[in-house]
Amino acid sequence: MSYLEVKNIKKVYTTRFGANRVEALRDVNFSIEKGEYVAVMGESGSGKTTLLNILAAILKPTSGSITLDGNELSHIKDSDLVEYRRDNLGFVFQDFNLLDTLSVKDNIYLPIVLAGKNPKNLAAKLVSLVSTLGISEILKKYPYEISGGQKQRVAIARALITDPKLILADEPTGSLDSKSSDDILRLFTEINKEGHTVLMVTHSVKAASCANRILFIKDGEVFHQIYRGDDTNEQLYGKISDTLTLLQTGGERR
Amino acid sequence: MKRFLYLRLALSGIYKNRKLYLPYILSTVGTIAVYYIIHFLSCSPFVINMAYGNNVGIALALGKIVIAVFSLIFLFYTNSFLTRRRYKEFGLYNILGMTKRNIFGIVFWETLIVSVTGLAAGIFVGIIFSKLAELGLMKLISAETNYIIFVSGKALYYTVLIYGALFFILMLKSFFVISRTNPIALMQSENVGEKPIKANWVLAFSGALILGGAYYMSVSIDNPLTALTLFFVAVIMVIIGTYLLFMSGSVALCKILQKNKSYYYKKNHFISVSSMTYRMKRNGAGLASICILSTMVLVMISSTGSLYFGKNNALKARYPRDTEISVVYHSIDKISDDNIAKIKSAYDRVFENHRFTPKNVLEYRYGEIAGLLKQNTVQPNPDYDTVNVNYSDVRSIYFISLADYNRVLGTDYTLEPGEAMIYTLRCKYDANLLNIGDLKLRIVKTLDRCINIGEANSLIMPSFFIVIPDFKVLTPLASITFGDMPVLFLRYHYGYDSDAEADETIAVYKDQSSALEDMLTQSEGARDDTSEYNDYGIYRGCIAEEKDDFNSLFGGMFFLGIILSIIFIIAAAVIIYYKQVSEGYEDAKRFEILQNVGMTKTDIRKTINSQILTVFFAPLILSGLHLGFAFPFLWKILQMFSLTNLRFIISVTLVAFAIFGVFYTIIYKLTARLYYSIVTVKE
């Protein structure tokens, strides 16, 4: 059994009176091993955000099952879902989602404090984390005072501080300039090398080419996947571009 | 055609933001209506022609100015909330190709719509309620009125003029901001001010210091006249202190809490404290305004309420009997049994003519002198500096003869020459010897009750009531003069209750006092009313006659207090409403983030609750504290109005606070619901 098992996920949105049914996910199956770095790509409307929300336990699938580290998601009570999310998942969002009322340090401590733990015990972890991410200097500052790239590093630190089983990233470079994007992507690679499992949803070929495996979603299904093998980022970039071209041209004819 | 486009854009802008515009328009309607009502009353013939009508008129004229100034500040405040959200839209129009002139057009139409609606509705409500207010006022002061509605042209004119100008100023302000700001900045005007918060320790500290100073003044001042003058200084200090405390002190407090790691890094404290810091910075001014307004309402209602509801007590304390007349002489010989028998027979003739029987007759003689107490000696001197003197050193001294005391109170005390008994009011006296000028007395007993002298009740200084064997003892004091004026007053007091109708009681009282005048003019010669000093004088009072004056004075004040309180409550409610709406929009995003990083809905609810509670009830609690410290001031000032029942005034104040608390809680409940609906945590 894999670390993360996604089986026959289907998600149907219905309008209020059930007149319109939209199938966002038809039948999604894939699995991720521990320590993998997987990118999910797809066009707007392909269902990748729905998939991410389902993995994040924010949305419930219409049918199918998700198992993370042996825990079946549908077996968790609704009231425990927030805790599940807090204890098992780390999130990195496109628009950072930092609280402007908290200093950088307190933003990082946020999930720990919310879990009712004493942040003192994690002070050492914070120090090593922020030095890896290069944000030791700005701990006392507020989100208002730092750049977008720095904000995203803070968000990554916040996602990592709880040692989550899975890191879910939603377009983490979407709001950043190219230099900051490169830095953030390098950090994701580093994090992955340290043993974290990462699932990243992205539009960007560049971002996807940093992953070890790329899943392509189209019309609510996993359409194709590419393994890195021994390719460099550049070689992988080429393969992804080709696949996307195929998806868009060939796909339309289907 | 183009003009209609602006009008349409203005209308749709108001409609889309109706959650903000509706309370704004309502608050303008409210303030305009209240202004009209007060202006109407201040020139209403009913008010002018009633007893003490001039006093009430002056109070109302003052109220008019207060409301005009208040409206200016208040509408500026609410308007700035409104425009912060509207500027975003204007920025967008600007980017989409509208010139700033075009935007001015929209602003112009918006201002026009709001001001015309506000003025028309406000004046309409004003006209309806001005009649009701007039009826209410007349009822409170028990005066006659009719049911004809009429509109005061003068009040109308000034209302339109003042509020028209106000709206015009607000429009100019918007023009100014729009013309000075570039479109991008306009679009982001809702998000400005997200700077990190730093506590300003100097301001926080001086706020606490100023407030402490005002509080200290209140508890330390014991001279009522000084209290009256310094009350306004203290009010201004409290206002400044409150603003500083809310704007800087609260942030400083949150910073202290954040420094305390073991407190701060707890699930329930972490979010609350950090976002409180943020909120206080933004809303300190609003909260301080709420606190000040609440305090004003509380002080006004409790003091004017005490006056109104305590007026019968005050009358009763001033006049222990329904009708009281006293004759004043300055020489001991004059207050002889002979003279008094003559006066009494004059009274009896009047009673006989009217077939009137006085009830509970209270007659006695007393001597009166005032001076400053030092150790065992009171130095008679009526000319002490009334403003700077320490009132706890002044003593009003009332001498009562042993015979009168025993007769009135049914006792059988005896006194040797040189001995005296003492009863004290608002002070204590424990020594065995008491010197009053050259008069030396041995105090053999401290009494626990005494004849109820109305005059002593109506004054604010501490009093000694001294029972002496007879008035001959006072000879050494009779010769002391100040200028030409002897300082010793000797009075014969005659008071009684009446079962008769008020008209009859007043008729008897009038006949009685003219009979007295005639008799005294005959025996003592005419008095010169222009001179400060006469050989004799008459002091008199009749509750039945003075009741109307008391009613009109205190009723008018109470009415004004209620009207002003209603306005201030409306103002506080609207400020609170705007706070909730504007914060709700900001907080919605924040709570979404919190949910994403693993805060449960229950926790979010709890945090919201504790924050709203704190933000809401901090001003109420501080205004309660303000009221508590204002109380010593009020107590001293009310004493000057013969209100001497401390427990009564305390209960009126507590009731006022309780009623206000209920109003406040209702406003809280209503607006909290609105806040929840805005930040509704998404599924």
Side-chain angles (χ1 to χ4, degrees), chain B residues 39-91:
Chain B
H39 202 128
F40 171 84
L41 286 177
S42 75
C43 45
S44 155
F46 292 110
V47 177
I48 309 262
N49 293 335
M50 73 190 187
Y52 279 89
N54 278 336
N55 293 346
V56 176
I58 290 167
L60 288 172
L62 211 69
K64 222 158 59 183
I65 298 170
V66 170
I67 288 163
V69 171
F70 173 76
S71 315
L72 178 77
I73 298 170
F74 172 64
L75 290 182
F76 250 88
Y77 179 79
T78 47
N79 184 268
S80 71
F81 262 119
L82 206 67
T83 44
R84 257 227 317 247
R85 287 186 69 80
R86 293 292 282 135
Y87 287 156
K88 189 177 168 185
E89 212 176 307
F90 295 150

Side-chain angles (χ1 to χ4, degrees), chain B residues 345-492:
Chain B
S345 66
Y347 290 166
D348 285 339
R349 274 197 299 282
V350 174
F351 295 150
E352 254 168 56
N353 287 344
H354 283 270
R355 294 171 208 281
F356 175 85
T357 325
K359 301 270 162 15
N360 300 327
V361 174
L362 177 64
E363 53 153 333
Y364 54 91
R365 281 172 272 188
Y366 66 98
E368 188 193 349
I369 204 164
L372 294 171
L373 176 72
K374 261 190 201 142
Q375 286 165 334
N376 290 343
T377 305
V378 175
Q379 205 49 55
N381 171 17
D383 193 42
Y384 50 79
D385 179 348
T386 45
V387 174
N388 293 318
V389 76
N390 188 349
Y391 267 65
S392 53
D393 293 340
V394 178
R395 287 292 177 278
S396 263
I397 298 175
Y398 302 94
F399 296 103
I400 299 164
S401 70
L402 181 66
D404 277 348
Y405 187 90
N406 279 337
R407 182 175 51 78
V408 173
L409 295 174
T411 50
D412 53 1
Y413 293 119
T414 52
L415 287 172
E416 297 297 317
E419 285 185 346
M421 301 189 287
I422 192 166
Y423 170 81
T424 55
L425 180 69
R426 305 187 191 102
C427 62
K428 273 192 171 160
Y429 192 78
D430 293 328
N432 292 325
L433 289 175
L434 175 63
N435 302 327
I436 301 160
D438 294 334
L439 174 66
K440 292 189 190 334
L441 294 169
R442 232 168 344 108
I443 306 294
V444 293
K445 187 172 172 59
T446 304
L447 298 162
D448 56 4
R449 62 201 180 112
C450 194
I451 298 173
N452 188 0
I453 299 180
E455 191 194 351
N457 292 333
S458 74
L459 297 175
I460 39 195
M461 42 258 201
S463 306
F464 286 165
F465 294 73
I466 295 168
V467 180
I468 44 174
D470 57 56
F471 281 173
K472 290 206 181 69
V473 174
L474 301 178
T475 314
L477 300 177
S479 55
I480 306 175
T481 52
F482 183 80
D484 285 340
M485 221 166 70
V487 295
L488 181 67
F489 284 60
L490 292 156
R491 293 175 189 256
Y492 168 61

Side-chain angles (χ1 to χ4, degrees), chain A residues 58 79 82-83 85-86 91 93 95-103 105-107 109-111 113-120 142 144-145 158, chain B residues 193-198 255 258 261-262 264-268 270-271 274-275 278 589-601 603 683:
Chain A
I58 292 170
S79 54
V82 175
E83 274 166 57
R85 215 181 301 156
R86 193 172 61 205
F91 293 94
F93 303 91
D95 51 359
F96 324 125
N97 274 356
L98 298 180
L99 282 183
D100 44 15
T101 55
L102 294 176
S103 69
K105 184 170 136 196
D106 289 346
N107 259 299
Y109 275 150
L110 183 63
V113 176
L114 288 180
K117 290 179 202 148
N118 189 347
K120 237 186 229 166
Y142 281 78
Y144 173 78
E145 301 169 291
R158 183 180 67 187
Chain B
E194 313 257 323
K195 289 193 186 109
I197 289 108
K198 295 207 172 64
K255 288 281 165 185
Q258 283 183 343
K261 295 266 188 299
S262 56
Y264 180 49
Y265 288 115
K266 287 270 159 50
K267 192 159 86 180
N268 356 348
F270 192 60
I271 300 298
S274 63
S275 44
Y278 210 73
K589 174 72 183 164
R590 205 167 294 152
F591 283 118
E592 205 186 310
I593 296 174
L594 280 169
Q595 219 186 352
N596 283 340
V597 295
M599 193 170 186
T600 62
K601 247 180 227 176
D603 284 343
E683 194 57 57

Side-chain angles (χ1 to χ4, degrees), chain B residues 488-517:
Chain B
L488 181 67
F489 284 60
L490 292 156
R491 293 175 189 256
Y492 168 61
H493 178 93
Y494 189 92
Y496 58 88
D497 287 339
S498 160
D499 285 343
E501 295 291 315
D503 289 350
E504 175 66 3
T505 310
I506 293 171
V508 172
Y509 160 70
K510 287 201 165 139
D511 282 357
Q512 196 190 354
S513 74
S514 58
L516 180 66
E517 291 275 6

